[in-house]
Structure formats: structure tokens, C-alpha cells
Amino acid sequence: MRDCIAIILGGGAGSRLFPLTLLRSKPAVPFAGKYRLIDVPVSNCINSSINKIFVLTQFNSASLNRHLAHTYRFDNYRRGFVTVMAAEQTRRSANWFQGTADAVRQSIPHVSIYRQKYVLILSGDQLYSMDYRKIIDHHVENEASVTVATIPVTSEEASGFGILKTNDDHQINEFYEKPQDLSEKTSSVSDSMKAQGREYLASMGIYVFNSDLLFKTLDMFPNDHDFGKQIIPRAIQQAKVMSYPFDGYWSDIGTIRSYYQANLMLTQPHPGFDIYNPNMRLYTNPRMLGPAKISGTQLTDTLISEGSMIGNSSINRSVIGIRSFIGNDTQIHDSVILGADYYPWHQVETRERREGPTKPGVGDHTFIEGTIIDKNVKVGNRCIIRNKEGVQEHDGENYFIRDGIVVIPKNVTIPDETVI
């Protein structure tokens, strides 16, 4: 795909994913034990032979920069790159990105120097598997100026998305940004989708633009800062905008609840998102860690990442991240443990990272349920961590509750016998 360049939007401050975004941007949030959210769109691009990839971000970008630099290095034959572009002051603009469209607008001087006929706009915090060559072929075959990837959603979900209406040829003729009134906004969908009550076409935030139209529109309307609210509705009135129906698994990882559910979904026998698909591989940093070591542990529907060491414990329906250390007689249920950057026996004087507790991991005789534990956390012995009272939102000492889920932030120490 020499004629296509991909731009991945890193998002804003990520407040709805706090505290996972306390020290990192949304695309850099760890996922599925060993990956980062940014690995999803970048891997989709690589699997689709799109090798020129820009990632736009402006909040807490150091971790994202480091991950991309260590992970994605193209050889001379592919002539590709993955480049992070943070908001920068220039003679044209002294402001930070004001929205999704403004982020692309400020990046045009860097993007336009490369050969491109089409620009693929992607989000950095979604979970799905898509061959982008198919949406680009759909775009070309229909002689579209803009193509929007769409997915049917239910009436309960529709108010959180941009909702589209199309004619029989999939051309979009109406757009409603997060509508509260859903009357006369259903679309023609397949019988299986209709049976599920998914009759509203939602924008997935995935766009294919003819590059000349995109650059011209962004230049002509400098106060249009957002694709969903301004650029797409304007394009519908002035150009041919097509819908690309997508019926696979897709999740917008925008909240702690959606992040938690997407991780635990992977523990199912047949999850909607297939991380084992050899034709759509999910790439990440090859850390060259040793295999996981498990000693007498009872595991049920659980993902264990490499480099982990687990004692005689019980783990059910959970995701255990890289270099996780879990002691004896500990129970972990319905939880996401993000692991660590170093092992508990690594001396502070010799390990690469100096931040975080001396000995990360989960101790003995501890009970954890319905919890997300960020990286480099030490949970002591005989602790109990669960939201027994069903609290939805709370800020505690060394922990937060968001969407009813307990979240332990990065680098925190939970002392022995703590009850949360």
C-alpha cells in the first residue's frame, strides 16, 4: 500500500482511563498481559502492508515513545516507519492539539512530504482486527472521497457514538453526534444484527480520506477541530462519503470498565478477539524473557505471560502480565495484573529502573478479586482487595475505584494485612 499513510490518534489526557493514564498516554496502557493498546492499530497496519505510520500524541508520551522505538524497526526493503509526533509549537500554530482533526492539521507538514493518495485515520485505544486493504478497496471501488468504518450497535449504546444513516448503496447521507433522540435513526442491517437489536450504525472512528480533500478541508476550515463533530458532517454535505460495514469484534477501550472487560474477554474459550490468529498477528516488544514457571497453582480460564513465577495458589478468569511474581496460598479472581519491569530479587543498585518498590509482586495468603493492579506494584501478605460494598467511584490511599473496579496505580506498595 505505497499510496496510503496511516495516522493513529493518541487521544487526549485519558481521564476516563485514570489512574492507568497517570504516568502514560492511553495508547501506551498495557493490555492482555504483554502488549500495549497501540500495538493493535500498528499491527493491523503491518498486517495490511501499510508501513508508513504516524502516531499523534501530546500527553505523557515518554512511555509510548520508548515502546515504539524498541518495538517497530523496519528494514531497508520495506522502507517503513512508525513515528511519534507530539504537539509542537511552530510558526503556523503555537497551540496544543485542539481535537482529532486539529492534531492531523498540525501534522500535515510532516505527513505531506511522503507519497500518499489516501490517508487512513485510526484511533489508538480500540481493540479489533481489520485488514485495512479491504476498506481501502471499498473506498476506491465506490469512488468515495471519504469512507467511514461502521458497526451496528444497540439503542443503549447508540447515544455514546456518532450515528450514521445510509442509502441502499451504503452512501452516508445523515450523521448525528451522540444523539439522545434515536427516533428514525435506525439503518438497514443484516438479520443477525437485527435479531440482536443492533440497528444503529455507529462510526468506529476509522476513516479513509482522499489526501487532497483532507488537506484542503483542514486548511479551509481552521476552526473545525474534530472529525466526528465537524469534518465528517461537512464532508457528507460536500462529497461522497461511504460506509464500510464491519461485523467483527470491536471494542472502544475508553473507560476502566471497558478496559477491564476487554482483558477478561480474552480468557474465554473462544474470545471475540483472536490473539492467536497467525494471519493477523499482534506485534509487540520482543523482550526475550524466560518461560513462565508455575508451582502447583490451580489455573482456570487465565492468561499467564512470559517471565512470570507463580507459587501454590489459585487463579481464576484473570490476566497475569509479564514478570508477575505471585506467592503461595493466594487467590486471584476476575482480575488484571499488569506485571513488572523487573524481578523482586533484582537489586535496586543493578536493575535498569530505580522507581517502584524493591520487591514487586503479590505476597502469600492474599485475596484479590475484581481488581486491576498496574505495573511494579507490591501487594503484601494476608491482604484482601475487593470491592465488597459495590462502590462505584472512590479515591483511597494508594488505590482508586472506577466503574466499580478497584485499581492499584503503578509503583505503589500495599502493606501486609491491608484490607480494601
Side-chain angles (χ1 to χ4, degrees):
M1 300 296 293
R2 292 186 61 196
D3 289 337
C4 182
I5 280 180
I7 298 178
I8 302 175
L9 302 172
S15 57
R16 294 189 301 159
L17 268 178
F18 179 88
L20 297 179
T21 52
L22 179 64
L23 299 173
R24 58 171 80 91
S25 61
K26 283 196 295 182
V29 172
F31 176 77
K34 60 178 290 184
Y35 305 99
R36 307 270 189 142
L37 290 177
I38 191 64
D39 292 327
V40 175
V42 173
S43 296
N44 282 336
C45 286
I46 293 172
N47 292 325
S48 305
S49 298
I50 298 173
N51 298 325
K52 293 182 175 63
I53 305 164
F54 292 92
V55 181
L56 312 188
T57 186
Q58 64 184 2
F59 288 96
N60 288 335
S61 59
S63 177
L64 179 63
N65 285 342
R66 187 166 55 246
H67 174 72
L68 293 175
H70 290 169
T71 305
Y72 300 102
R73 302 175 185 178
F74 292 91
D75 57 39
N76 290 332
Y77 297 99
R78 301 187 75 168
R79 296 183 180 277
F81 56 80
V82 179
T83 297
V84 173
M85 289 195 298
E88 60 181 353
Q89 287 186 324
T90 66
R91 295 186 183 277
R92 294 184 59 182
S93 175
N95 299 320
W96 283 39
F97 298 151
Q98 303 300 303
T100 55
D102 187 59
V104 175
R105 178 185 293 111
Q106 293 193 40
S107 305
I108 287 177
H110 305 288
V111 174
S112 60
I113 64 176
Y114 293 95
R115 177 199 302 271
Q116 91 295 122
K117 190 174 182 181
Y118 310 107
V119 178
L120 177 66
I121 310 291
L122 306 170
S123 173
D125 55 359
Q126 298 176 346
L127 180 62
Y128 63 102
S129 181
M130 180 186 290
D131 186 340
Y132 298 134
R133 289 171 292 197
K134 294 182 179 180
I135 187 174
I136 294 171
D137 288 345
H138 181 82
H139 178 85
V140 174
E141 290 167 3
N142 287 278
E143 300 180 344
S145 296
V146 185
T147 296
V148 180
T150 60
I151 192 166
V153 297
T154 65
S155 58
E156 291 78 13
E157 300 168 315
S159 59
F161 295 97
I163 298 300
L164 315 168
K165 292 203 67 173
T166 65
N167 61 22
D168 294 338
D169 296 323
H170 298 296
Q171 182 172 349
I172 299 171
N173 47 37
E174 297 179 45
F175 179 90
Y176 306 92
E177 177 67 14
K178 298 181 180 180
Q180 300 304 307
D181 180 9
L182 298 177
S183 58
E184 299 184 0
K185 293 182 176 62
T186 58
S187 294
S188 177
V189 296
S190 66
D191 292 339
S192 62
M193 292 294 176
K194 194 170 184 178
Q196 299 174 42
R198 297 170 60 180
E199 298 185 75
Y200 300 88
L201 272 186
S203 168
M204 297 170 64
I206 298 171
Y207 315 114
V208 177
F209 279 87
N210 289 348
S211 59
D212 54 352
L213 173 70
L214 175 64
F215 299 159
K216 179 180 178 181
T217 301
L218 293 176
D219 183 59
M220 289 180 60
F221 302 97
N223 294 321
D224 285 6
H225 296 320
D226 191 83
F227 280 106
K229 295 178 181 178
Q230 296 159 315
I231 299 296
I232 298 301
R234 186 183 298 281
I236 290 172
Q237 303 300 320
Q238 300 176 351
K240 187 176 185 180
V241 181
M242 298 295 296
S243 163
Y244 175 74
F246 182 72
D247 59 2
Y249 176 88
W250 177 79
S251 176
D252 184 17
I253 313 294
T255 65
I256 290 294
R257 170 63 62 176
S258 62
Y259 173 83
Y260 173 80
Q261 291 176 337
N263 272 278
L264 294 194
M265 174 273 299
L266 297 174
T267 69
Q268 299 173 5
H270 303 286
F273 181 81
D274 184 6
I275 59 176
Y276 303 102
N277 185 348
N279 298 317
M280 294 296 288
R281 294 178 179 175
L282 189 57
Y283 298 97
T284 194
N285 180 17
R287 299 174 181 86
M288 308 305 175
L289 295 173
K293 182 183 291 185
I294 301 170
S295 303
T297 294
Q298 179 181 352
L299 299 173
T300 306
D301 297 333
T302 293
L303 300 182
I304 306 292
S305 300
E306 64 261 40
S308 296
M309 296 196 174
I310 304 174
N312 188 4
S313 293
S314 175
I315 304 176
N316 175 58
R317 195 169 174 258
S318 296
V319 176
I320 308 300
I322 59 171
R323 299 190 193 89
S324 289
F325 186 88
I326 298 171
N328 295 305
D329 297 318
T330 283
Q331 297 184 51
I332 299 176
H333 304 285
D334 300 320
S335 294
V336 181
I337 314 295
L338 300 188
D341 293 312
Y342 52 93
Y343 289 108
W345 56 85
H346 285 170
Q347 299 299 315
V348 176
E349 295 79 11
T350 59
R351 74 188 193 208
E352 282 192 21
R353 296 177 182 271
R354 292 182 293 175
E355 60 183 357
T358 303
K359 296 183 177 182
V362 179
D364 301 333
H365 308 288
T366 285
F367 182 90
I368 299 172
E369 182 179 48
T371 298
I372 299 172
I373 297 181
D374 207 334
K375 297 185 78 173
N376 305 333
V377 168
K378 175 180 173 56
V379 178
N381 302 317
R382 299 175 299 280
C383 295
I384 298 176
I385 303 177
R386 62 176 175 175
N387 187 2
K388 184 178 180 180
E389 303 300 325
V391 176
Q392 290 301 300
E393 305 287 327
H394 179 71
D395 293 0
E397 183 178 356
N398 290 333
Y399 77 95
F400 298 85
I401 298 178
R402 293 292 184 269
D403 300 325
I405 299 161
V406 180
V407 185
I408 310 297
K410 187 176 181 181
N411 300 328
V412 159
T413 295
I414 305 296
D416 292 349
E417 301 180 353
T418 297
V419 177
I420 297 177

